[in-house]
Amino acid sequence: MTAPAKVTAAEVEKHFFDKGRAGVQALGPIDLNVDEGQFVCIVGPSGCGKSTFLRIVAGLLAPTAGSIELRVTRRKPSPIAMVFQDYGIYPWKTVEENIRFGLDIAGAGRDEANMVAKSWLERLDLMAFAGAYPHVLSGGMRQRVAIARALAVEPEILLMDEPFAALDAQLRQVLQEELLQIWERDRRTVIFVTHSLEEAILLGDRIVVMSARPGRVVLDEVVPFARPRSTELRASTAFNSFRTRLWDCLKGEVEAASVSSGGTALH
């Protein structure tokens, strides 16, 4: 018997309304199931509602129609955590305090919170910066802090909204490798939004391609490469063949989004 999905989106839509103006349908309807322990990557043109969908799953936005069901076993610490493109860490807190933050608000004891924070400082090579403030850190180190903070609460579901988009190519590759290693240890459920097909293929178990706005699922494809993976996979013929197949599906949606927005639709 098949276990119920960890995340179930049923006919989810999102409309945005402005006073005196007609509403804009940004998303949907979307139907999507994510199984326990799956790493699902979502790709699509700019403005198609990828990030909006992630925020609805996180509970940061309410859907206009449809529903999101999360199958979680606990409520505290939070069963769901999110990593943003712009880091989302607090500039007035040290690296260690940022990592410990979710545990503190969940009421974890000081000794337990400190122990967990130190563990993630070590795992993400941040121990030397435990007492530093974010403004002295590089972009890559800030993103490490954001990832550590999200994982410190041991979420059942991890949402990642283009977390490496602002980084240079070399650093992006390093953090992709680190994320793969972390995920391999505990196989938690991940929904990862990205503009990069290469990143999606490297990281994901499945790739969901979304249409131009209002975003809908136009392709849901299993990644055909065994784990564990490394960034060397990108050089293989099979990798590039699979990427080309995905791009053939995505290209028309990118062109449609570009026409409707009057500019470039994919970054």
Side-chain angles (χ1 to χ4, degrees):
M1 186 175 179
T2 304
K6 192 73 171 175
V7 179
T8 301
E11 299 184 350
V12 171
E13 297 182 24
K14 184 62 181 179
H15 301 247
F16 291 99
F17 299 94
D18 196 2
K19 292 181 180 178
R21 298 182 183 179
V24 173
Q25 183 175 352
L27 179 70
I30 277 187
D31 294 286
L32 182 67
N33 292 338
V34 179
D35 292 335
E36 176 100 41
Q38 273 195 328
F39 198 127
V40 174
C41 291
I42 300 178
V43 298
S46 289
C48 74
K50 302 184 299 297
S51 296
T52 297
F53 177 70
L54 218 59
R55 283 162 172 76
I56 292 173
V57 176
L60 301 176
L61 286 175
T64 306
S67 63
I68 295 285
E69 181 180 346
L70 307 179
R71 186 173 60 86
V72 296
T73 59
R74 59 175 171 79
R75 293 294 172 184
K76 289 187 177 181
S78 175
I80 191 164
M82 189 161 177
V83 179
F84 299 90
Q85 179 180 345
D86 61 355
Y87 319 125
I89 56 178
Y90 300 112
W92 60 88
K93 291 181 178 292
T94 66
V95 167
E96 184 171 5
E97 289 168 345
N98 266 289
I99 293 173
R100 204 180 60 208
F101 178 73
L103 295 166
D104 289 340
I105 63 174
R110 178 171 292 275
D111 289 344
E112 177 190 357
N114 286 339
M115 180 181 68
V116 172
K118 284 183 169 56
S119 171
W120 282 103
L121 285 165
E122 291 172 352
R123 289 174 70 174
L124 287 173
D125 198 22
L126 291 165
M127 188 61 79
F129 300 91
Y133 288 88
H135 74 274
V136 305
L137 305 178
S138 68
M141 292 178 69
R142 291 181 200 175
Q143 200 57 286
R144 281 190 174 97
V145 175
I147 293 169
R149 184 179 66 181
L151 292 174
V153 298
E154 297 187 351
E156 296 183 40
I157 301 165
L158 178 62
L159 308 175
M160 308 188 80
D161 189 8
E162 299 189 61
F164 308 142
L167 307 178
D168 65 63
Q170 292 80 14
L171 186 54
R172 185 170 185 157
Q173 183 169 320
V174 168
L175 290 186
Q176 287 168 351
E177 290 270 18
E178 291 180 356
L179 179 59
L180 279 172
Q181 291 169 9
I182 291 169
W183 182 83
E184 287 284 356
R185 292 190 187 107
D186 54 29
R187 298 288 180 111
R188 72 184 69 247
T189 305
V190 178
I191 305 178
F192 188 105
V193 163
T194 178
H195 273 110
S196 168
L197 285 175
E198 291 84 356
E199 185 167 72
I201 297 168
L202 178 69
L203 297 176
D205 294 313
R206 286 164 55 201
I207 297 176
V208 173
V209 178
M210 288 177 61
S211 70
R213 191 183 72 205
R216 295 179 295 273
V217 175
V218 294
L219 183 70
D220 188 341
E221 192 84 358
V222 173
V223 177
F225 303 115
R227 295 188 185 272
R229 299 179 195 151
S230 70
T231 53
E232 283 74 23
L233 177 64
R234 298 174 195 268
S236 70
T237 301
F239 182 98
N240 286 289
S241 176
F242 185 60
R243 183 200 178 282
T244 298
R245 185 150 61 87
L246 293 174
W247 174 243
D248 287 342
C249 173
L250 181 58
K251 182 179 179 182
E253 302 301 333
V254 172
E255 291 171 344
S258 181
V259 169
S260 65
S261 65
T264 302
L266 188 67
H267 304 297

